Amino acid sequence: KVAVRVRAPKPATLIGSGQVEQLAVQVRQDEADLVVFDASLTPVQQRNLETALEAKVIDRTGLILEFFGERAATAEGRLQVELAHLDYQGGRLVRSWTHLERQRGGFGFLGGPGETQIEADRRLIRDRMARLRRELEQVSRTRGLHRERRQRAPWPVIALVGYTNAGKSTLFNRLTGAHVMAENLLFATLDPTLRQISLPGIDKAILSDTVGFVSDLPTQLVAAFKATLEEVVSADLLIHVRDIAHPDTEAQRSDVEAVLAEIGVSEMTPRFEAWNKLDLLDVEQHDAMLAEADRRDDVVALSALSGEG
């Protein structure tokens, strides 16, 4: 892991030429095949860095998309991930096929080159993205109809939101008795799952488990996962599940609030915080968190794993 100070981002390589040379030396020493930048790279920066470092380079967005690609389990999830992937790859086609021309343009012997391979690839990607968007619109319509039916019923919808790996699915399973995949993984949940639960004073409520958020959520993902995120936007109550044992828990809270604002969640939607993972705190921190939660009426401290709280 290498920390690099960037005073002013360079259009060609993001980091300075001296820093690129230092990084290239380290890549050769470590015999690294892959370099991951914790930042967004333009297609030009990515290509230039790959040439300079003589290794494959991916950025933060590319890495998150790889996670999502591995986790997509349902047809809807795969559609959303493929759309985000294609959107990301569209500008990153390398001109390695330009010698292959599909046909000559014009008439006779004087016509210029016809459609090059890269243009054909771009067209194929555009066509595929258009088809995926149409399929996702159908998914979105179906979800909308289901939501309308639920809204006509008198039961409130409660959405679990939070940073990735905060313990939403574990809490969801604890509350509903469901067996949703809950792993100590980033983005273990991609597709929203809904179950009914009984609550004191209410006949029943609908609880939904949603995809986890992350700081600087790539715009391609926000666009592709619109159908999934609509479940959060239309909820009657948001339960913000926080990993209270994480050293960056406050920063994660701010990131989640920023994503909620970005996807269009109203500030008027009631919110409640669930401070999860009490079981990972030492006795002193554990008691301090319980005391702090007791002082506030919008917080509950708990451990979804052990059942405390």
Side-chain angles (χ1 to χ4, degrees):
K1 189 173 180 181
V2 183
V4 179
R5 186 185 295 277
V6 181
R7 289 189 179 85
K10 301 284 186 289
T13 53
L14 181 68
I15 57 179
S17 54
Q19 293 167 323
V20 173
E21 286 169 18
Q22 289 172 356
L23 194 55
V25 170
Q26 187 154 359
V27 167
R28 282 195 293 275
Q29 284 175 350
D30 296 342
E31 297 180 356
D33 300 315
L34 175 67
V35 180
V36 182
F37 274 74
D38 186 13
S40 289
L41 297 173
T42 65
V44 171
Q45 288 170 340
Q46 188 175 1
R47 196 162 64 242
N48 290 342
L49 285 165
E50 284 184 342
T51 305
L53 302 177
E54 296 177 358
K56 183 169 173 58
V57 172
I58 64 171
D59 64 359
R60 179 188 177 81
T61 304
L63 182 64
I64 292 173
L65 285 171
E66 289 296 325
F67 276 123
F68 273 59
E70 281 198 0
R71 306 281 190 264
T74 64
E76 181 190 349
R78 284 192 288 270
L79 282 175
Q80 290 172 320
V81 171
E82 188 184 350
L83 179 59
H85 257 293
L86 290 173
D87 189 18
Y88 176 70
Q89 289 167 356
R92 286 174 159 74
L93 292 174
V94 181
R95 295 181 70 87
S96 55
W97 291 75
T98 21
H99 60 285
L100 289 179
E101 291 155 9
R102 301 293 278 265
Q103 71 267 333
R104 304 289 295 176
F107 296 95
F109 297 107
L110 300 176
E115 183 178 49
T116 57
Q117 185 65 43
I118 196 166
E119 287 162 349
D121 289 348
R122 284 210 178 104
R123 180 170 51 77
L124 287 170
I125 282 181
R126 276 199 308 273
D127 293 349
R128 178 74 183 141
M129 284 175 72
R131 197 157 68 247
L132 287 171
R133 284 200 179 99
R134 282 196 298 274
E135 289 182 42
L136 279 171
E137 273 170 24
Q138 182 60 47
V139 169
S140 198
R141 270 199 299 275
T142 306
R143 278 202 180 284
L145 290 171
H146 289 170
R147 255 197 314 277
E148 277 175 31
R149 254 205 326 270
R150 283 199 303 273
Q151 282 164 354
R152 282 201 296 271
W155 308 308
V157 176
I158 303 164
L160 299 178
V161 299
Y163 211 80
T164 181
N165 208 26
K168 294 180 296 299
S169 296
T170 308
L171 180 60
F172 183 83
N173 289 342
R174 171 74 61 177
L175 291 171
T176 62
H179 299 286
V180 170
M181 178 186 169
E183 300 280 346
N184 185 20
L185 291 172
L186 297 176
F187 308 113
T189 304
L190 279 195
D191 304 294
T193 310
L194 294 99
R195 293 283 188 280
Q196 66 180 52
I197 56 169
S198 298
L199 291 174
I202 302 176
D203 178 24
K204 64 178 173 183
I206 310 290
L207 189 67
S208 80
D209 183 21
T210 52
V211 62
F213 299 156
V214 70
S215 60
D216 304 323
L217 192 67
T219 50
Q220 288 98 336
L221 286 181
V222 174
F225 278 76
K226 187 166 167 282
T228 299
L229 296 171
E230 279 168 1
E231 296 292 346
V232 176
V233 177
S234 65
D236 299 301
L237 169 68
L238 299 182
I239 296 184
H240 181 174
V241 182
R242 290 176 57 188
D243 176 355
I244 208 66
H246 197 284
D248 296 326
T249 184
E250 286 301 329
Q252 289 184 351
R253 179 185 183 280
S254 303
D255 290 334
V256 169
E257 290 295 336
V259 174
L260 289 173
E262 186 182 347
I263 64 175
V265 173
S266 167
E267 288 185 7
M268 306 299 289
T269 305
R271 295 166 200 213
F272 194 80
E273 286 190 7
W275 291 358
N276 190 26
K277 304 198 182 182
L278 282 180
D279 52 292
L280 297 182
L281 298 175
D282 61 39
V283 176
E284 193 176 324
Q285 290 174 313
H286 176 277
D287 293 345
M289 283 301 163
L290 283 180
E292 173 68 16
D294 281 344
R295 281 196 294 272
R296 295 175 52 176
D297 57 6
D298 61 340
V299 169
V300 63
L302 56 90
S303 165
L305 196 62
S306 70
E308 181 187 357

